[in-house]
Amino acid sequence: MTVTRFAPSPNGSLHLGHAYSAIVAHDLAKERGGRFLLRVEDIDGERSLPEKPEEFREDLAWLGLEWEEVPAQSTRLESYEQVARDLLGRGLLYPCSCTRKQILALKPRMGPEGAIYPGTCKGRLLDPEKPAALRLDADRAMAEVGEQFWEDEVGGTQIADPRVFGDVVLVRKDAPASYHLAATLDDAADGVTLVTRGQDLFAVTHIHRVLQELLHLPVPTWHHHPILLDDTGEKLAKRRNSPSLADRRKQGEDGKELAARLRAGEFPTGITLASA
């Protein structure tokens, strides 16, 4: 059975880009007689706003979507911590005290997510009393799992290689897990068989696929759909004040009609769908 999900973070309101992503995931599940899940990814510290999950539910219902809700990330902290201890004990993680500013000052190479960490703290003894993130030793991880593949319904077969990102953070200084670790563990716990999300997250699947192999987790298929762009060619984003679904809803717009237009590829003026 196909099980897919929509997993927003409650650090702001949903916008048309979220609506499109939720509709794609919902419709893929329904077309295949499967399940569509809602998971709230709420471990982003003070940025996680407690009122937003209920707003999300109202938005999805307004769009005419039906879903099953699974436990939010904030209820799963112990599982993240346990896995991090396991990876650390296996020598696959190492502590890093570097700040973003310190890393950028080294003029590092750039990768798909920005600056590639140059390994400054690898092999160093750090003060255990000072805050430190935990980074994945990508070379060691690849040596352990060997060549791995993943399947994308849009992009086809991919060879997994997280080394294009360098040694990514799996446990943040201010949270028990990064997006990479939490989302990978959550998808396995929720029985997700089809990870549906935007093309902007295509590259991070290299990291997630290797984590699945390291942790002996089930391997889903992925579906990375095109994303909506604004009139400047940038993706819609909360931080760029893209108009919210909640505002549209409160202004009396018909959510089901909006969903039908998004399905038909009819977008508001200035909004376009990125080419595949």
Side-chain angles (χ1 to χ4, degrees), residues 12-19 52 55-56 59 62-63 236-253 255 258 268 271:
S13 295
L14 302 184
H15 52 62
L16 282 179
H18 294 108
K52 289 302 175 183
E55 183 180 285
F56 296 169
D59 290 341
W62 174 69
L63 291 168
L236 302 184
K238 297 173 186 174
R239 67 181 181 277
R240 303 183 71 244
N241 297 317
S242 298
S244 73
L245 299 185
D247 286 342
R248 291 174 176 271
R249 175 163 48 81
K250 292 170 185 175
Q251 290 166 6
E253 188 170 352
L258 173 63
I271 303 298

Side-chain angles (χ1 to χ4, degrees), residues 151-162:
E151 294 291 336
D152 185 84
E153 292 188 340
V154 180
T157 302
Q158 308 291 322
I159 300 175
D161 190 350

Side-chain angles (χ1 to χ4, degrees), residues 16-17 20 226-236 262 265-275:
L16 282 179
Y20 184 78
I227 59 174
L228 297 188
L229 306 178
D230 64 16
D231 54 5
T232 69
E234 296 290 329
K235 76 169 185 174
L236 302 184
L262 292 177
E266 299 172 1
F267 306 115
T269 301
I271 303 298
T272 57
L273 191 66
S275 58

